Amino acid sequence: MNRKSITISYSEYNSNNELPAKDKELLDVAIEATKNSYAPYSRFNVGAAVRLANGEIISASNQENAAYPSGLCAERVAIFYANSRFPDVKVEALAVTAAVNGNICDNPTYPCGACRQVLAETEQRSGNKIRIIIGGEKITQVIDSVEGLLPFVFDNLPK
Ligand code: THU
């Protein structure tokens, strides 16, 4: 038996003004996108923004439905839209943030498990790491790759 370990490193910022300019720009788009969230059930307004290698920035928000499972998280709305409009363009980065009553949450809102799985497959498909910016009003974290969010990814289907 071998005990093994995985180390995840990330950058943490205590002010969004300290973020690299491109990360700040993407996070600002995600912050703006929280205003388009349709979340009458959870009242949790999530915004996401994706930067593509062709310079496109796509923004999205969570969209809920009275038949609860029919809703979709902001991250998957953004990624699926990006992949459907630009299937051959690499996804470089995704920013996500959330607001309650119009106020951006202090702490990072991490992508849920299902979004991580979709992000992981997008990363594999593009063949490059996707930078993940998880923004809060007081704390923002930046992870270099989806692998840091989902180390033991399911990717075992027969080829
Ligand atoms: N949600 C997202 O859009 N992204 C996340 O990372 C976490 C959760 C949405 C789903 C649902 O509309 C609401 O937030 C509450 O779970």
Side-chain angles (χ1 to χ4, degrees):
M1 190 276 272
N2 294 316
R3 294 289 292 176
K4 298 186 175 184
S5 61
I6 292 171
T7 304
I8 297 162
S9 54
Y10 56 93
S11 307
E12 186 165 292
Y13 298 85
N14 295 312
S15 162
N16 288 331
N17 292 324
E18 291 170 10
L19 283 165
K22 281 171 101 176
D23 293 347
K24 169 88 166 65
E25 180 195 27
L26 202 61
L27 180 56
D28 283 343
V29 174
I31 290 170
E32 192 60 29
T34 61
K35 297 175 188 165
N36 297 334
S37 154
Y38 176 65
Y41 306 103
S42 71
R43 299 182 194 282
F44 191 64
N45 303 117
V46 185
V50 164
R51 180 155 44 74
L52 300 179
N54 64 0
E56 285 277 343
I57 289 186
I58 285 159
S59 71
S61 55
N62 58 329
Q63 299 293 316
E64 298 185 348
N65 191 274
Y68 291 168
S70 303
L72 204 61
C73 295
E75 298 93 316
R76 269 177 292 163
V77 174
I79 287 286
F80 285 152
Y81 181 78
N83 288 341
S84 56
R85 272 209 64 201
F86 303 101
D88 300 321
V89 181
K90 290 181 189 304
V91 174
E92 289 185 344
L94 174 137
V96 60
T97 192
V100 174
N101 292 327
N103 299 312
I104 297 295
C105 300
D106 285 346
N107 295 316
T109 295
Y110 298 106
C112 77
C115 287
R116 292 177 197 210
Q117 185 70 33
V118 168
L119 284 163
E121 189 155 331
T122 303
E123 190 167 75
Q124 287 164 3
R125 193 175 155 185
S126 317
N128 63 283
K129 292 183 185 313
I130 300 176
R131 193 172 168 83
I132 310 289
I133 300 129
I134 307 166
E137 182 64 27
K138 295 212 168 128
I139 296 174
T140 289
Q141 294 167 338
V142 180
I143 308 184
D144 294 336
S145 163
V146 181
E147 210 183 338
L149 280 175
L150 189 60
F152 291 105
V153 64
F154 169 69
D155 60 355
N156 236 5
L157 286 179
K159 302 275 183 295

